[in-house]
Amino acid sequence: MTRTPDMPVHIRRDRFDPAPELGRLRTEQPVSRVRLVTGAPAWLVTRYEDVREVLGDSGRFGNSEDGRPAGAPPLRVPDTEAEVPRLWSPGNLLAYDPPEHTRLRRLVTGEFTVKRMRRLRPRIEAIVTEHLDAMERSGPPADLVQSFALPIPSLVICELLGVPYTDRADFQHRSNIRLDLSLGLDRRVAAMRESQEYMAGLVAAQRKRPGEDMLGMLVREHGDEISDEELTGLADLLLIAGHETTSNMLGLGTLFLLRNPGHLAWARQDEHIDAVVEELLRHLSIVHTVIPRVVRADTVISGQPLKAGDLVVCSLPAANRDPALTADPDLFDPGRKVSHLAFGHGIHHCLGAPLARMEMRIAYPALLRRFPTLRPAVPFEEIRFRMYSVVHGLESLPVAW
């Protein structure tokens, strides 16, 4: 099993699957005590209906405490105390509850509608083709993560936001540090601070001369409704979420399909790709949990009493593999018709879900049709999974064709 022994149970993985212990807890103790990576005690919720209940009720289960995401560590990092407020709260939708969350999310919702995504489709198709052409010119072997899975969503979100793609190496490096749970808190906080400073510079430039991208739109149309600090935090969140999640789905999903040729054949066909993508999202569930919730008043979940002030963390992989959701949940079946929770649920449902779906629906079949003999270039046992990351995926995927 590829897992990290010192990681909490809700972050452990067995390659494509959640830790077996999660399944046992879901059956025997669906609401159990755990300790978060930050050291804070919390209740772990593992059943599908219970997770939907927690995520769907922002009145009983809040998303923030003291202006920081619930469960965030009390930062005591040298020389960073003065930075704590702006690192954790302004503009970061993950740290907001209504009505402030409603106000900020409303400003950007229109940019992520299905209709808006359809207008982006030709550009996404062109980006995918450009990277496939580059892979073909370079020839095998190639690292699919670095040559395909990571740059495609990175370029898309950069163009959408108005972030120079030439800066990608730096912001991707900072993203890796921020999401790496094996690193010390001081390094992760320093990377967050650097990311905020970088984005603040872009916001300042957009205030002076708004572009045609999302940052420019927010300045032109909502400049009086959003502060520079809020715009910085919002853009920083969209940048990191916009490339980390989709890139890991593309890499991990491709490896899964290569290991399952029958499903791979479906993924080549446009008429089946929507179903394949939805089942990959459910089956792989690369986001271990959403931001912990804080209990607003004494309540009960699945028979377990919770007290006001308690933290609750919801396991998305456990919920998406719940037998109460679908029959044979550990099997990959694109024929399923279920409402999975890979993008969360409720008011914090992933804003970029339409974009992520479109990128995957375009990228998977294009890759598999261009290279019909695509295969891993190393034994499966040598492929390195991201075992310490907030977002599950692959460190690299050497391929040949």
Side-chain angles (χ1 to χ4, degrees):
M1 176 191 288
T2 53
R3 54 158 282 191
T4 306
D6 57 345
M7 286 288 107
V9 64
H10 54 282
I11 295 178
R12 300 175 198 161
R13 297 285 180 135
D14 183 2
R15 297 190 172 99
F16 300 118
D17 303 317
E21 176 70 4
L22 268 180
R24 186 190 68 77
L25 286 173
R26 186 181 55 226
T27 300
E28 301 175 5
Q29 198 176 359
V31 182
S32 59
R33 292 298 272 173
V34 294
R35 192 165 291 277
L36 305 179
V37 174
T38 62
W43 294 101
L44 174 64
V45 179
T46 50
R47 286 182 179 168
Y48 176 81
E49 287 300 333
D50 295 338
V51 170
R52 278 181 59 95
E53 181 177 350
V54 171
L55 301 186
D57 193 338
S58 60
R60 291 163 63 204
F61 303 96
N63 221 46
S64 65
E65 52 182 1
D66 302 325
R68 297 179 297 123
L75 299 180
R76 294 292 183 269
V77 182
D79 302 322
T80 64
E81 283 82 355
E83 300 295 329
V84 170
R86 80 179 187 88
L87 280 171
W88 285 114
S89 57
N92 185 346
L93 289 173
L94 300 182
Y96 279 76
D97 290 314
E100 284 301 289
H101 172 269
T102 309
R103 175 182 68 86
L104 282 174
R105 182 159 175 142
R106 175 183 59 82
L107 302 182
V108 293
T109 297
E111 294 298 303
F112 289 96
T113 62
V114 173
K115 182 178 180 180
R116 168 71 167 139
M117 292 305 104
R118 289 196 185 111
R119 298 209 310 266
L120 285 176
R121 185 179 183 97
R123 179 58 185 144
I124 296 173
E125 290 174 338
I127 290 171
V128 169
T129 298
E130 290 165 8
H131 285 81
L132 291 174
D133 290 345
M135 283 179 62
E136 194 165 25
R137 285 194 302 270
S138 298
D143 179 359
L144 193 76
V145 171
Q146 293 300 321
S147 60
F148 187 77
L150 181 57
I152 288 172
S154 296
L155 182 52
V156 171
I157 196 65
C158 280
E159 292 189 358
L160 186 62
L161 277 176
V163 174
Y165 186 60
T166 51
D167 295 342
R168 66 191 181 280
D170 289 336
F171 72 67
Q172 287 169 357
H173 174 68
R174 289 190 294 264
S175 295
N176 287 336
I177 293 174
R178 293 168 68 175
L179 298 179
D180 190 342
L181 299 175
S182 71
L183 299 178
L185 184 59
D186 55 346
R187 285 194 64 190
R188 297 178 63 204
V189 169
M192 283 189 285
R193 182 169 56 184
E194 291 169 7
S195 298
Q196 292 277 356
E197 291 171 351
Y198 168 75
M199 193 59 70
L202 296 183
V203 167
Q206 291 273 10
R207 284 287 190 185
K208 293 178 181 178
R209 184 175 295 179
E212 297 301 317
D213 42 63
M214 188 184 300
L215 281 175
M217 178 277 295
L218 287 169
V219 169
R220 285 193 309 275
E221 299 181 14
H222 307 287
D224 295 336
E225 304 172 58
I226 187 169
S227 68
D228 285 357
E229 291 78 12
E230 288 174 331
L231 188 52
T232 294
L234 179 60
D236 179 62
L237 173 64
L238 293 175
L239 178 62
I240 189 172
H243 77 271
E244 279 288 348
T245 50
T246 307
S247 68
N248 281 290
M249 272 300 302
L250 287 175
L252 190 65
T254 297
L255 178 61
F256 180 85
L257 293 172
L258 293 177
R259 299 275 296 174
N260 295 270
H263 301 314
L264 184 147
W266 266 48
R268 283 199 184 99
Q269 304 172 41
D270 291 335
E271 62 267 32
H272 295 309
I273 190 57
D274 288 7
V276 171
V277 165
E278 293 308 308
E279 182 67 348
L280 284 171
L281 287 164
R282 182 201 71 84
H283 191 75
L284 299 178
S285 295
I286 61 170
V287 177
H288 306 295
T289 68
V290 296
I291 292 293
R293 302 309 201 245
V294 60
V295 179
R296 295 302 192 197
D298 292 359
T299 189
V300 176
I301 290 290
S302 214
Q304 175 63 55
L306 308 179
K307 294 186 176 298
D310 285 353
L311 292 177
V312 178
V313 62
C314 296
S315 172
L316 301 184
N320 281 334
R321 298 285 189 100
D322 190 342
L325 170 64
T326 185
D328 298 320
D330 291 325
L331 297 179
F332 185 91
D333 178 8
R336 298 183 197 275
K337 301 293 183 183
V338 298
S339 297
H340 62 73
L341 300 174
F343 289 117
H345 177 66
I347 66 170
H348 292 283
H349 181 271
C350 178
L351 184 66
L355 176 60
R357 283 186 165 105
M358 176 164 287
E359 289 173 325
M360 286 184 280
R361 290 167 180 171
I362 293 170
Y364 283 128
L367 171 70
L368 299 174
R369 287 198 291 254
R370 177 70 70 94
F371 303 113
T373 60
L374 190 73
R375 63 191 183 278
V378 297
F380 182 60
E381 293 72 23
E382 295 180 15
I383 295 174
R384 295 178 300 162
F385 289 74
R386 289 167 47 130
M387 301 309 301
Y388 298 86
S389 180
V390 173
V391 181
H392 188 50
L394 302 175
E395 293 185 15
S396 64
L397 178 55
V399 293
W401 55 87

